[in-house]
Amino acid sequence: MTEASEAAILKHLSTSEDAVIEDTFPWSEAEKLDHTAVVGAIKSLLADQYVVAANLSTSFYALSAEGESILANGSQEVIVLKALEEAGKLSLPDLQTKVGKDIAKIGMGNCMKKKWVKKDGGDLVPLKKVEEIEDEVKALLQKVVDGHFSVDAITDKEAKDLKRRKIISLVTRKSHKVTRGAAYAPQRVKKSADLTKEMLDSGAWESAEFKPYNFMTLGEKVGGGYLHPLLKVRAEFRKILFEMGFHEMPTNKWVESSFWNFDSLFQPQSHPARDAHDTFFIKDPAQTISVPEEYYERVKSMHEVGGAGSIGYRYDFKREEAMKNLLRTHTTAVSSQMLYKLANQPGGFKPARYFSIDRVFRNETMDATHLCEFHQVEGLVADYNLSLGDLIGTIETFFKKIGITQLRFKPAFNPYTEPSMEIFGYHPDLKKWTEIGNSGMFRPEMLQPMGLPENVRVIAWGLSLERPTMIKYRIKNIRDLFGHKVEMGRTRTAPICRFDAVE
């Protein structure tokens, strides 16, 4: 449609050097072209200077559907007066039935204002006859029509009254006056934007017209990427742990077997955490392919009959339960694999410090502080003859580096650590103690089957990444931090994360 409009415009201007399209709107109607397409063609031709266009603005009145009805049947007040004159008097419900609710509502009010009718009890009685009054509204609309809807057809006051009744509206139509441009030609030749291989091969580039290049213009501003607040806090935590001599564990495998997630940690197969209400089990593939068989047998024996001074859990350890696949419930599943490798590496055991920060999954009820998936920060130290004092000292060092100095430790229970402690920190904004992590020493029943030397102890602690991030960025609802409801603008505007260490 635009190409047809372009051709029609150029053809019209080709009739003489002084040819002009005075107004594109009536011209489009005469040429049976869509005016929108004509405007688009003019803008395109302007870019190559084929035409020169001047903006035109035409204002006129347009009748609403109600205005059209008044022009044909008379105003509401005249219709109401006529109905009352014919009947002598009418109650409001009867009037509404006779002329319609809308006409009765508007017409009765205007009749009362003009004193054409009065109320007589519950009835309406006419005071004038139809032939005695003039239908001013209909007369004004007829003036508009006779004046070809021009704004000069009626006075401003008359127009204001009709607009107030929403009978007419003022419409402004945009159009153009078009004449020849500096580069006018009867037929448009598209200019090339690029020099192509085909042009070079054929020699067409020698005669081709090219669009002008603006070598002074700047390219579009390139927007950089933004780190999510969780990633900013994660990066700061990683830097702190690296400074403390820790090495990062590979945690890119979200699906684990129940053996590594539970059994290797000396967590019984009847434990409530292994129920479907707390854990996401995988349907396909439902079971893992293999685990280290010798290690499996040692873990099984520890569960069934015990060892390392323990009597075990004294139940029948089931292979099918151990082989179930699941979304890991904690990154300790990775810690157990790293400790097993540490015990069985060439050259034997060597002391090590490991940490991980990655996603874990639990089938929990979601609320302002809980999601079904979150990030766990975990650290562990494996060395000879470690004690609970080493654990507390390591935890205090880490939390001091993120600015938390007031710590308390409360005895707790974990299936795979003994002793176990919950970590509480004082929150200066909330002015109260809040739980910020969990910790403990891995039990001998967990470490002995791995093949670690008898005097090797492993201390470990963990916390979520979301809670310190929410505190750092003053976020009250976890769903505003992580998930599909996150405001993307927050990612762009969140300040950098920096924790000031306390000496």
Side-chain angles (χ1 to χ4, degrees):
M1 193 68 178
T2 303
E3 291 182 0
S5 300
E6 278 186 8
I9 293 167
L10 295 174
K11 182 180 178 182
H12 181 92
L13 297 177
S14 68
T15 54
S16 70
E17 291 185 1
D18 299 325
V20 61
I21 299 174
E22 293 290 348
D23 190 331
T24 53
F25 193 86
W27 181 83
S28 299
E29 290 183 338
E31 297 288 329
K32 297 181 180 179
L33 295 170
D34 179 59
H35 187 250
T36 304
V38 169
V39 171
I42 291 169
K43 289 180 179 179
S44 178
L45 291 169
L46 277 169
D48 289 339
Q49 298 184 340
Y50 275 78
V51 298
V52 174
N55 294 327
L56 301 177
S57 180
T58 306
S59 297
F60 57 90
Y61 291 122
L63 271 59
S64 65
E66 184 182 342
E68 296 283 0
S69 176
I70 291 173
L71 196 62
N73 307 310
S75 65
Q76 293 94 331
E77 49 265 39
V78 173
I79 294 173
V80 167
L81 181 62
K82 186 177 180 181
L84 292 174
E85 186 181 348
E86 290 174 354
K89 63 179 180 178
L90 287 171
S91 66
L92 181 59
D94 291 338
L95 177 64
Q96 290 175 340
T97 302
K98 188 173 181 67
V99 301
K101 285 186 177 181
D102 291 339
I103 290 176
K105 180 180 177 181
I106 298 171
M108 187 187 75
N110 288 328
C111 283
M112 297 288 289
K113 191 184 295 184
K114 295 174 183 288
K115 296 183 180 181
W116 291 354
V117 301
K118 71 175 183 176
K119 282 188 176 181
D120 184 11
D123 295 329
L124 294 168
V125 179
L127 297 176
K128 295 277 187 179
K129 292 183 179 181
V130 174
E131 60 267 20
E132 294 175 353
I133 55 94
E134 180 185 358
D135 193 342
E136 296 174 354
V137 177
K138 182 178 179 180
L140 285 176
L141 292 179
Q142 191 60 55
K143 285 175 67 177
V144 171
V145 174
D146 294 341
H148 303 288
F149 301 95
S150 169
V151 292
D152 299 325
I154 53 178
T155 66
D156 291 342
K157 183 181 181 305
E158 292 169 338
K160 184 178 180 180
D161 292 339
L162 295 179
K163 286 178 187 177
R164 180 175 51 81
R165 291 184 61 167
K166 297 181 181 179
I167 298 172
I168 65 170
S169 60
L170 183 66
V171 178
T172 301
R173 184 180 67 213
K174 303 291 185 180
S175 57
H176 301 279
K177 177 181 179 180
V178 184
T179 56
R180 288 186 179 190
Y184 171 79
Q187 189 172 0
R188 186 177 188 181
V189 178
K190 293 275 187 178
K191 292 183 179 180
S192 301
D194 298 302
L195 180 64
T196 64
K197 178 179 179 299
E198 289 74 19
M199 287 181 177
L200 294 172
D201 291 342
S202 64
W205 66 272
E206 295 181 4
S207 57
E209 286 191 58
F210 291 91
K211 291 182 178 179
Y213 285 90
N214 183 359
F215 294 102
M216 301 302 292
T217 188
L218 297 175
E220 186 175 353
K221 186 178 179 181
V222 178
Y226 301 92
L227 285 178
H228 189 275
L230 274 174
L231 293 179
K232 292 179 180 179
V233 176
R234 179 179 182 271
E236 189 71 6
F237 277 12
R238 287 180 78 241
K239 186 181 76 172
I240 291 170
L241 288 162
F242 282 135
E243 288 175 355
M244 293 176 65
F246 284 79
H247 297 277
E248 192 166 15
M249 294 185 283
T251 54
N252 56 346
K253 188 171 65 171
W254 291 355
V255 176
E256 291 286 359
S257 66
S258 293
F259 176 77
W260 287 114
N261 197 81
F262 295 123
D263 297 319
S264 66
L265 305 179
F266 195 58
Q267 194 161 325
Q269 293 185 336
S270 59
H271 196 280
R274 302 178 71 148
D275 191 85
H277 293 294
D278 295 298
T279 302
F280 292 108
F281 288 95
I282 305 298
K283 286 186 177 180
D284 186 22
Q287 291 196 327
T288 190
I289 298 172
S290 65
V291 294
E293 285 301 325
E294 290 184 6
Y295 178 46
Y296 170 84
E297 292 298 332
R298 293 195 296 270
V299 170
K300 177 183 177 184
S301 175
M302 185 63 73
H303 279 250
E304 291 182 338
V305 299
S310 169
I311 62 172
Y313 292 115
R314 297 188 176 186
Y315 69 96
D316 291 331
F317 189 88
K318 296 180 181 179
R319 186 179 183 88
E320 59 271 20
E321 186 68 28
M323 294 297 162
K324 287 182 179 178
N325 281 332
L326 49 80
L327 290 176
R328 67 183 179 209
T329 60
H330 46 199
T331 52
T332 317
V334 181
S335 300
S336 63
Q337 295 174 62
M338 294 301 294
L339 288 172
Y340 173 73
K341 290 179 181 178
L342 196 63
N344 297 276
Q345 66 184 345
F349 169 78
K350 293 179 183 178
R353 297 182 179 197
Y354 291 125
F355 82 92
S356 64
I357 307 175
D358 212 334
R359 199 173 300 187
V360 297
F361 307 86
R362 294 180 190 173
N363 194 359
E364 294 186 345
T365 301
M366 292 188 289
D367 56 30
T369 56
H370 294 84
L371 292 176
C372 289
E373 54 181 304
F374 58 96
H375 296 77
Q376 182 176 338
V377 183
E378 181 170 342
L380 67 88
V381 180
D383 206 343
Y384 296 100
N385 301 315
L386 293 174
S387 67
L388 191 63
D390 295 307
L391 174 60
I392 293 173
T394 304
I395 291 171
E396 287 180 339
T397 300
F398 172 76
F399 280 103
K400 277 183 179 179
K401 286 183 176 290
I402 63 173
I404 300 175
T405 57
Q406 294 179 275
L407 294 176
R408 285 179 180 175
F409 300 91
K410 175 185 174 183
F413 169 78
N414 288 318
Y416 45 89
T417 58
E418 180 62 37
S420 305
M421 301 182 301
E422 290 177 345
I423 309 167
F424 288 81
Y426 186 74
H427 195 304
D429 289 344
L430 300 177
K431 299 189 183 312
K432 69 176 184 178
W433 293 88
T434 181
E435 184 184 350
I436 55 177
N438 216 321
S439 65
M441 299 183 69
F442 285 143
R443 296 176 62 145
E445 297 97 323
M446 172 185 164
L447 301 179
Q448 190 185 76
M450 293 177 175
L452 289 166
E454 188 175 344
N455 58 342
V456 167
R457 303 287 182 264
V458 181
I459 58 175
W461 80 97
L463 65 151
S464 77
L465 186 64
E466 281 76 4
R467 184 164 293 180
T469 304
M470 290 172 70
I471 293 171
K472 185 72 176 174
Y473 288 99
R474 303 295 192 269
I475 297 171
K476 295 182 179 180
N477 193 320
I478 194 170
R479 285 166 287 199
D480 294 331
L481 172 69
F482 187 70
H484 66 284
K485 292 185 177 181
V486 170
E487 181 186 351
M488 297 306 293
R490 185 190 291 272
T491 302
R492 293 193 295 271
T493 58
I496 63 171
C497 173
R498 177 181 172 183
F499 293 100
D500 295 322
V502 179
E503 297 300 332

